[in-house]
Amino acid sequence: MTSTLHNRVAVLRTARGASRRELAEFVGVNPQTIGFIERGDYAPSLELGLRIAAYFDVPVELVFSLTPFEPLGEALRRAGDAAR
Amino acid sequence: MNAPQLEWTRNRATRRKLVSGSVMLSVITVGTLATAGLLDEANRRGAALAALVATGVLLLGWILLTGCLNASVRGTADPYVARLPGGHDERQRLLHADTYRRCYWPMLGLLSVATVSVVVLRPGVAPSLAIFLAAYVAAVMMPLWTLSWTMPEELIDG
């Protein structure tokens, strides 16, 4: 069940200061399922993906991607360069 | 199935120990029951009764161990939990279906052995019963054993 779906669930959840249990309760799954999603061991359904995106109040493509996400440090450096 | 009291069962090393224990206890329980049958056929009623009592005690241990094993995978292999509304989430439903799909042919083979043992070995009741029970128990327990043995480690909440 290893997926090629990349996600930022762990990053977004940590930034929000939420536990897996809190996120799991909001989206209606077991906390362990959130752990498996974060680790990339399980690719969620579209419905669950949309619910997770709704929890973070961001578009779903900011949480899930078929290609690896740019490292956060790299994105921030690029944003900083653009702002100068 | 998510009882925090059984949290100690939910790591891979413990799950594999529980599976090994369950396989061994299943073999011993069926063996003891077959021994009871053989002793009864040999008209050693006292010894047969003792073996039957031992089977009952072993069976209690087997039920407890199966409960722990079921809790170790949060009831994901349990067909009854699967049918309950809200019993499994989508990952557990997928894992449940995947486990039963992987075990389908081995289970069918074991159940065929169980059926054949009853038909072919009819003259000897005890050996026939032992083969039937061993094959049947192995077939019924196979999804739970497989899932407990193969399920990835859960992440600790944080």
Side-chain angles (χ1 to χ4, degrees):
Chain A
M1 280 217 295
T2 302
S3 70
T4 53
L5 188 71
H6 303 271
N7 73 80
R8 279 177 171 148
V9 175
V11 174
L12 291 166
R13 183 178 60 75
T14 310
R16 200 182 165 117
S19 67
R20 290 193 187 95
R21 189 169 298 280
E22 285 164 349
L23 173 57
E25 277 172 16
F26 182 85
V27 298
V29 295
N30 288 314
Q32 300 75 39
T33 298
I34 300 298
F36 284 111
I37 292 171
E38 288 182 357
R39 205 165 52 185
D41 280 344
Y42 175 64
S45 67
L46 179 59
E47 186 188 348
L48 180 55
L50 287 168
R51 278 200 207 140
I52 291 171
Y55 177 79
F56 296 120
D57 201 19
V58 293
V60 74
E61 61 269 24
L62 276 185
V63 188
F64 297 99
S65 170
L66 291 171
T67 53
F69 283 108
E70 185 181 18
L72 206 58
E74 187 64 27
L76 286 170
R77 191 188 57 76
R78 211 161 33 79
D81 287 349
R84 265 188 236 129
Chain B
M1 283 300 130
N2 289 312
Q5 296 91 331
L6 292 163
E7 206 55 49
W8 60 273
T9 62
R10 295 181 186 123
N11 64 77
R12 182 175 273 184
T14 308
R15 274 192 276 117
R16 290 190 167 180
K17 279 179 198 162
L18 287 171
V19 171
S20 306
S22 175
V23 171
M24 278 195 286
L25 198 55
S26 299
V27 170
I28 293 167
T29 308
V30 169
T32 312
L33 185 62
T35 306
L38 284 171
L39 290 168
D40 187 57
E41 281 174 17
N43 278 324
R44 293 173 60 192
R45 294 284 151 85
L49 186 66
L52 205 60
V53 170
T55 306
V57 173
L58 287 167
L59 203 58
L60 282 175
W62 185 85
I63 290 166
L64 277 174
L65 197 57
T66 304
C68 288
L69 207 51
N70 214 5
S72 78
V73 291
R74 299 179 188 274
T76 305
D78 193 330
Y80 303 104
V81 177
R83 278 189 227 121
L84 291 173
H88 287 163
D89 66 19
E90 60 171 55
R91 179 189 60 85
Q92 289 175 310
R93 279 198 294 274
L94 196 70
L95 201 56
H96 177 90
D98 189 54
T99 304
Y100 274 83
R101 191 167 51 244
R102 276 193 287 164
C103 294
Y104 178 79
W105 288 110
M107 282 170 79
L108 199 65
L110 284 165
L111 289 173
S112 303
V113 168
T115 309
V116 168
S117 74
V118 172
V119 176
V120 176
L121 300 172
R122 191 171 288 169
V125 174
S128 169
L129 182 74
I131 294 168
F132 170 80
L133 278 178
Y136 183 78
V137 169
V140 169
M141 293 297 287
M142 186 173 278
L144 183 55
W145 288 340
T146 306
L147 186 62
S148 288
W149 191 269
T150 59
M151 202 170 90
E153 202 79 87
E154 290 179 348
L155 287 177
I156 296 161
D157 197 21

